Amino acid sequence: MLPIDLPMLLADKHATFWFPPAASTFAKDVDWLYMVILYISIFFFVLVVAAMVLFAIKYRRRPGYVGDSRPLHNNALEITWTVIPSLIVCWIFVEGVNGYMDMMTPPVDTIDINVTARQWDWSFQYPNGAISDQLHIPNNRAILLNMRSEDVLHAFYVPAFRAKSDVVPGRVTTMWFQPILEGEFDLFCAEYCGDLHSDMIKRHGVVVHDQAGYDAWLADAAKPPVNAVAHGFWLYQRMGCKSCHSTVEGTRIVGPSFAKSYDQTLRTAKGADVKFDQQYIRQSILEPQAEVREGYQNASQMPSFQGKLNEDQLSALTAFLVAMKDDAFIQAVADGDLSQADKESLGLTDAAGADAAGADAASDTGKSAEEPLEKPADEVPTEPASESSESPPAPKT
Amino acid sequence: MSAVATSPTHSQPDSDNFLIYSKGFLSWALTLDHKRIGLMYLVAVMASFFVAGILALVLRTELLTPTEWFLTPQQYNQVFTLHGAIMVFLFVIPSVPAALGNFLVPVMLGAKDVAFPRLNLSSFYLWVGGAIFFLTALLYTGLDTGWTFYTPYSTTTRGPVVAATMGVFILGFSSIFTGLNFIVTINTMRPPGMTWFKMPLFLWATYATSIIQVLATPVLGITMLLLAAENILHIGIFDPKYNGDPVTYQHFFWFYSHPAVYIMILPGMGVISELMSVHSHKSIFGYRFIAYSSIAIALFSFLVWGHHMFTSGMANVASLIFSALTFCVSIPSAIKVFNWLATMYKGTVQLNTPMCYALTFIFLFTIGGLTGLWLGALSTDRPLHDTYFVVSHFHYVMVGGSLVGFLGGIFHWWPKMTGRMFNDLWGRVSCLFVLIGFNLTFLPQFVLGSRGMPRRYAHYVPEFQELHQLSTFGSYVLGAGLFIALGVLIHSLMRGKQAPPNPWGGATLEWQCSSPPPFYNFSHPPTVNEPYNYLPLQYHGEELGWEYVHPSHTAAPSIHPAPTKS
């Protein structure tokens, strides 16, 4: 029908001409209704266009042909083409409602994940307190998302799941779906949310594991680094900081870069001089509008993180920002990650005791991986969350 | 039947021609003549369309590549906001009602002018003032909220939201004044014999549109004031920071903006009803069904706003009700399409430029209407909402419907408005370019949408690139078609042949005054006849066109079973 480049289509064996991969339980019904409406529409479209072309040719003005300009009327015909489309749309309505009620009615046994949307990033919080910027879920399990927005409207949209719901600030919106295909799928923000709306594309933002892979990932993700600097960077990646603040010197995304900021004296939008010290960092996270840097007064406003980060996390982020004055550290995180090798060369590995614990944990992965399996998934998520956020010992800089 | 055999062509002196009977800038700027106001509106909305159309090409060109090319994301957002806002508020809403409507309503009705000529002129200047205010605000610091001003982005962004909303507020008054004027004109100024069911269908459509303009536009005004109050005073209605609810804003906004969709399409439908009948030389099929369906659409249009919000977290029951009502509004539109087609049956179809645009309208509007089925059905809407599927759907209706109807109407009434004929061959070429270019632009967008491409994206994932490129090339073809159409009209103004009073053989009253009409429209109250009875029309060749010969000794055959006493 359309001149589409076939190789591109066939790149993903699960995608079809019309649809991305059918990766959730909704896809089958939605795609079926889509196709049925398509056939109905093609039928009526062909009917309309065929009649139009036929009449335009058969009754065209030409020598020797005299049309009849008198009115025609036919109530039977009028009623037919009123009633038949009415019946068809009634049927489409009912089918649409059926599918919709499935989408709006989550089953009892779900894995509950908290989603936070903010300009322009997502974070996901799991029942055991793990936080990530990608959504990791097990295959063939019903997933329930409790979604909040920190600033403006967003919409959580995974085309492969045929699932979308707006994330409305001031409300908790929920949605559910059940993946049926392992793999990585794109996550889009579908509601316009400002400057970098289109950078809220999360390429492969949803990872569907098999159950064992999910458990292993979850156990690992629940352990933030103990070292304060590494913990700060870990939070920087997961709490949405990285979508606006670069770690490369002089690179402005929306807000200023973190590189080489510490200890500098900055000019604020109000014309005052302020030192980029620990107090300034703390204030800027909790009350971002208090001392806006000169040149940024027209940038999108940063939301306050008051109540979203605890003191330990603030300290860790501060330690990370202090470390950002160091060339070696800037170099190490330039690739957007802080690898184990980087940590070792910079001396940011967890301390001896913690190291042992870390090694312990590594050898323990098998065991801890079993744990969430046994745990009822719908257990109150906040309890382990607070536990894990308090678990790192005090920073030892 | 009165036997006054009017031969208006020769009874009106050329110096009474409304274009030249008085001269000078002020004779136009302060005119109370509805035809001059209509022409001024025509120039103004075409200029707006030109600007917004260029912006559309800029957007499509940026979308040739999935990454940043020549627009930063911020600039992209500002450009799509400008494109949408100018198209909706400055072009599509005033296009047919204010430009064609102002020119045609009194003439078609057989009246000398609208009921309130001064209000009419003030509506034009409100439009100009509102447009200047709005554009200044948009360009001054770059508004980037989209034309929908969704909260809380619009209450937190540092753009000139308050000034822009005031511009919309002023434009709303312009729209209300026009609607009010038409309602009063049609109710009170029909000449003897012009019963409701002898009115041309364009007037029925305009009447239905005016009802929406008068009833719905105040809600937009209220919404814009509340938005401004939220921005300045933080009254706490839309912004969750002050205990407001953003979804409340969406309800307010769409309570106007969904009926506004029908402000955009109903007049286009009215134009098509005229074009299909005149150029098929055939009485319209199902006059009453088309007339009633205009009113039905106008009333239903107030009840379906919630279908813009199926993913917003609205209650399930509300979603079900809005979905059901949405399907109800599709039926009157389908009836119109079938009636237009049946009008061609056994007629004498002349495939000239206006008719080609009318058939293009039916082709594109059918696709636009049918794709509404996916979006009205709740389960298929959820993945498609806010994707290119929606973008394509409403462009099929707004551009394929309103714009193509507007162009068809311009070509149809151009000889009447300017007294000049245009080059029909090049007119048809422009129509062919528009048809091909439009489909090439927007058919791929349906596939993009069902594959998951969200709207309002400056960047996108590389899989979508081929379809985006196809769409962009289509937009160039569409742009070329529109430039050709503009060229045809400009050429006609400069070199066009003199137009006869009735070049197409229309039976409605505007074809009974000269082309262009005298400033007083009719020297005597015209003899009202059946609007779609072509039997009394006689053809005198291309130069002289058609003449309506009033049957002086036999009663005109009544073409509608309708009682003439009403």
Side-chain angles (χ1 to χ4, degrees):
Chain A
M1 184 177 170
L2 289 166
I4 302 304
D5 192 7
L6 276 174
M8 192 55 129
L9 268 184
L10 302 174
D12 187 334
K13 65 183 189 300
H14 297 291
T16 63
F17 175 80
W18 293 102
F19 306 114
S24 85
T25 49
F26 301 145
K28 196 169 146 247
D29 287 350
V30 170
D31 293 357
W32 172 79
L33 185 58
Y34 184 102
M35 293 315 284
V36 174
I37 300 176
L38 181 67
Y39 295 132
I40 293 172
S41 297
I42 288 175
F43 172 79
F44 279 100
F45 179 68
V46 168
L47 191 76
V48 165
V49 173
M52 192 166 93
V53 171
L54 180 73
F55 293 167
I57 293 171
K58 195 168 171 196
Y59 305 118
R60 72 188 183 281
R61 173 162 302 175
R62 58 189 186 274
Y65 165 75
V66 182
D68 179 2
S69 75
R70 283 175 304 174
L72 291 171
H73 197 74
N74 190 332
N75 271 326
L77 202 54
E78 294 272 11
I79 289 167
T80 310
W81 66 44
T82 306
V83 170
I84 290 180
S86 301
L87 293 176
I88 292 174
V89 298
C90 283
W91 180 83
I92 295 174
F93 166 71
V94 170
E95 285 301 320
V97 169
N98 279 339
Y100 179 76
M101 292 316 287
D102 288 345
M103 292 174 178
M104 301 311 282
T105 320
V108 181
D109 178 27
T110 54
I111 298 179
D112 295 8
I113 296 172
N114 291 328
V115 180
T116 306
R118 60 175 80 83
Q119 288 170 322
W120 293 273
D121 207 354
W122 303 92
S123 42
F124 302 96
Q125 194 187 25
Y126 298 82
N128 71 349
I131 301 174
S132 70
D133 62 341
Q134 282 181 315
L135 177 62
H136 290 260
I137 46 177
N139 198 7
N140 292 318
R141 284 292 303 273
I143 311 295
L144 183 77
L145 303 182
N146 295 307
M147 304 191 292
R148 296 165 178 84
S149 167
E150 287 186 358
D151 35 52
V152 300
L153 291 167
H154 300 278
F156 181 96
Y157 177 35
V158 182
F161 293 164
R162 313 289 187 271
K164 178 187 292 125
S165 185
D166 287 10
V167 186
V168 182
R171 291 187 177 192
V172 179
T173 45
T174 58
M175 68 186 293
W176 82 280
F177 46 79
Q178 178 165 339
I180 53 169
L181 214 56
E182 282 171 34
E184 297 182 335
F185 305 102
D186 294 346
L187 163 63
F188 296 137
C189 173
E191 186 68 66
Y192 176 66
C193 58
D195 290 355
L196 300 186
H197 168 52
S198 66
D199 291 349
M200 248 172 116
I201 300 175
K202 266 252 186 294
R203 196 77 167 132
H204 312 307
V206 179
V207 184
V208 182
H209 301 272
D210 59 13
Q211 186 70 48
Y214 171 71
D215 293 336
W217 176 86
L218 195 62
D220 193 43
K223 296 194 193 72
V226 176
N227 175 284
V229 173
H231 186 205
F233 182 73
W234 187 89
L235 289 167
Y236 163 81
Q237 287 179 302
R238 284 163 179 75
M239 297 305 290
C241 319
K242 74 172 188 311
S243 53
C244 296
H245 298 282
S246 164
T247 56
V248 180
E249 193 176 354
T251 305
R252 172 177 179 164
I253 305 176
V254 175
S257 165
F258 284 162
K260 303 272 175 137
S261 289
Y262 192 71
D263 263 352
Q264 301 292 310
T265 301
L266 307 165
R267 181 157 287 252
T268 67
K270 291 171 192 150
D273 285 332
V274 64
K275 185 128 195 246
F276 194 108
D277 54 13
Q278 301 216 4
Q279 165 56 21
Y280 180 73
I281 294 171
R282 183 185 156 81
Q283 185 189 33
S284 297
I285 296 174
L286 299 179
E287 287 176 74
Q289 313 312 322
E291 304 263 20
V292 177
R293 210 186 285 192
E294 188 175 36
Y296 290 85
Q297 50 268 54
N298 288 322
S300 281
Q301 294 183 18
M302 173 173 159
S304 164
F305 281 77
Q306 185 93 50
K308 295 163 195 163
L309 294 168
N310 61 28
E311 284 302 329
D312 290 340
Q313 291 169 319
L314 284 173
S315 309
L317 277 169
T318 308
F320 157 64
L321 277 166
V322 173
M324 280 306 287
K325 68 181 175 181
D326 173 26
D327 278 322
F329 183 76
I330 293 173
Q331 197 63 41
V333 297
D335 58 354
D337 210 0
L338 191 63
S339 65
Q340 194 57 38
D342 290 334
K343 284 185 194 169
E344 276 162 19
S345 68
L346 293 167
L348 298 175
T349 45
D350 294 341
D355 248 359
D360 228 342
S363 67
D364 254 342
T365 26
K367 198 175 110 197
S368 53
E370 303 291 329
E371 249 182 340
L373 245 186
E374 309 302 315
K375 268 190 194 166
D378 47 346
E379 196 177 293
V380 190
T382 45
E383 191 198 316
S386 55
E387 201 178 279
S388 92
S389 55
E390 274 152 26
S391 62
K396 33 136 209 67
T397 27
Chain B
M1 229 355 111
S2 157
V4 190
T6 45
S7 174
T9 330
H10 310 294
S11 66
Q12 292 152 358
D14 282 348
S15 58
D16 285 356
N17 171 348
F18 86 98
L19 290 169
I20 56 167
Y21 77 97
S22 59
K23 291 193 171 65
F25 176 76
L26 286 181
S27 79
W28 281 84
L30 298 177
T31 184
L32 297 179
D33 183 346
H34 67 98
K35 298 182 287 300
R36 288 191 166 190
I37 295 171
L39 281 193
M40 293 195 295
Y41 256 123
L42 185 65
V43 172
V45 297
M46 296 248 273
S48 309
F49 175 67
F50 184 81
V51 172
I54 296 290
L55 294 175
L57 293 178
V58 169
L59 291 174
R60 284 292 352 148
T61 305
E62 168 66 30
L63 289 172
L64 279 171
T65 61
T67 49
E68 188 167 322
W69 185 15
F70 61 89
L71 290 179
T72 64
Q74 288 89 334
Q75 287 167 335
Y76 180 89
N77 297 343
Q78 290 164 9
V79 174
F80 84 64
T81 301
L82 268 174
H83 164 73
I86 297 178
M87 278 291 188
V88 169
F89 293 116
L90 300 184
F91 173 64
V92 194
I93 288 179
S95 64
V96 179
L100 289 177
N102 256 317
F103 189 95
L104 290 169
V105 167
V107 197
M108 278 184 139
L109 202 60
K112 283 188 192 294
D113 207 319
V114 290
F116 307 119
R118 285 178 180 80
L119 194 64
N120 200 13
L121 185 66
S122 71
S123 115
F124 176 71
Y125 284 113
L126 277 174
W127 185 92
V128 173
I132 291 171
F133 206 82
F134 189 54
L135 288 179
T136 314
L138 260 58
L139 292 171
Y140 184 58
T141 41
L143 187 76
D144 64 344
T145 59
W147 77 278
T148 49
F149 301 107
Y150 266 18
T151 56
Y153 185 65
S154 61
T155 54
T156 52
T157 182
R158 290 190 169 92
V161 176
V162 174
T165 54
M166 288 303 106
V168 174
F169 190 76
I170 299 169
L171 289 169
F173 270 99
S174 161
S175 187
I176 293 171
F177 286 178
T178 303
L180 192 67
N181 227 333
F182 289 165
I183 290 178
V184 177
T185 306
I186 292 173
N187 270 315
T188 63
M189 296 182 69
R190 283 171 289 131
M194 179 60 89
T195 59
W196 283 96
F197 289 103
K198 278 192 179 173
M199 287 201 321
L201 288 165
F202 179 76
L203 295 184
W204 275 95
T206 307
Y207 194 79
T209 310
S210 302
I211 293 174
I212 306 177
Q213 283 179 308
V214 169
L215 291 183
T217 317
V219 180
L220 178 72
I222 293 163
T223 311
M224 291 295 134
L225 279 186
L226 285 172
L227 187 59
E230 182 72 306
N231 259 298
I232 300 167
L233 306 170
H234 307 308
I235 55 172
I237 177 166
F238 299 141
D239 190 339
K241 222 190 305 178
Y242 311 105
N243 275 336
D245 183 6
V247 180
T248 308
Y249 174 80
Q250 296 176 26
H251 280 290
F252 268 83
F253 181 80
W254 290 112
F255 187 85
Y256 164 76
S257 293
H258 194 79
V261 169
Y262 293 94
I263 296 179
M264 304 178 202
I265 191 65
L266 271 173
M269 292 170 158
V271 168
I272 299 306
S273 301
E274 300 298 324
L275 265 53
M276 290 303 289
S277 175
V278 171
H279 298 286
S280 300
H281 200 70
K282 175 81 182 175
S283 182
I284 192 92
F285 190 97
Y287 174 91
R288 285 190 170 222
F289 276 81
I290 296 182
Y292 285 136
S293 69
S294 288
I295 303 297
I297 288 173
L299 298 180
F300 273 127
S301 75
F302 282 96
L303 307 173
V304 298
W305 78 89
H307 70 211
H308 296 268
M309 301 160 57
F310 285 157
T311 65
S312 71
M314 200 166 50
N316 290 350
V317 177
S319 293
L320 299 199
I321 292 170
F322 281 122
S323 172
L325 289 167
T326 300
F327 281 115
C328 291
V329 84
S330 68
I331 300 300
S333 307
I335 291 173
K336 280 181 188 265
V337 170
F338 292 132
N339 277 291
W340 291 327
L341 285 178
T343 300
M344 292 166 81
Y345 180 69
K346 291 200 171 167
T348 313
V349 178
Q350 176 86 33
L351 284 176
N352 50 24
T353 307
M355 187 61 171
C356 287
Y357 274 104
L359 297 181
T360 302
F361 175 100
I362 294 180
F363 187 100
L364 300 178
F365 180 74
T366 303
I367 297 179
L370 286 168
T371 49
L373 295 176
W374 280 270
L375 302 173
L378 287 170
S379 67
T380 45
D381 177 70
R382 274 182 85 85
L384 296 177
H385 186 83
D386 272 330
T387 66
Y388 266 60
F389 194 96
V390 175
V391 173
S392 188
H393 162 73
F394 73 72
H395 278 90
Y396 264 91
V397 181
M398 300 287 90
V399 182
S402 307
L403 172 67
V404 170
F406 177 67
L407 287 174
I410 298 240
F411 278 107
H412 182 73
W413 282 294
W414 185 260
K416 181 57 61 185
M417 292 192 284
T418 64
R420 303 279 181 173
M421 296 304 287
F422 51 84
N423 185 316
D424 193 53
L425 175 68
W426 281 98
R428 282 181 286 167
V429 169
S430 79
C431 181
L432 186 69
F433 271 73
V434 168
L435 176 67
I436 294 173
F438 185 87
N439 284 304
L440 201 55
T441 311
F442 291 103
L443 277 179
Q445 295 191 6
F446 286 123
V447 186
L448 276 174
S450 70
R451 289 187 192 175
M453 168 78 204
R455 64 192 287 202
R456 297 178 164 180
Y457 263 24
H459 306 155
Y460 53 87
V461 294
E463 293 95 292
F464 296 137
Q465 190 174 9
E466 271 106 3
L467 287 169
H468 268 301
Q469 287 176 339
L470 199 60
S471 179
T472 301
F473 295 135
S475 72
Y476 297 153
V477 178
L478 176 59
L482 293 170
F483 269 109
I484 295 172
L486 182 67
V488 170
L489 295 180
I490 290 174
H491 176 262
S492 153
L493 278 184
M494 305 203 306
R495 297 273 170 85
K497 277 188 289 192
Q498 191 72 33
N502 193 353
W504 316 123
T508 42
L509 291 181
E510 78 273 26
W511 302 111
Q512 292 190 38
C513 48
S514 54
S515 296
F519 62 87
Y520 43 80
N521 294 351
F522 303 96
S523 45
H524 320 281
T527 312
V528 176
N529 34 260
E530 302 283 353
Y532 303 109
N533 178 11
Y534 297 100
L535 293 176
L537 283 155
Q538 283 177 9
Y539 190 54
H540 299 303
E542 208 175 305
E543 295 280 308
L544 296 171
W546 297 74
E547 188 188 5
Y548 198 98
V549 181
H550 283 283
S552 47
H553 37 274
T554 53
S558 178
I559 61 159
H560 300 300
T564 43
K565 298 186 276 297
S566 63

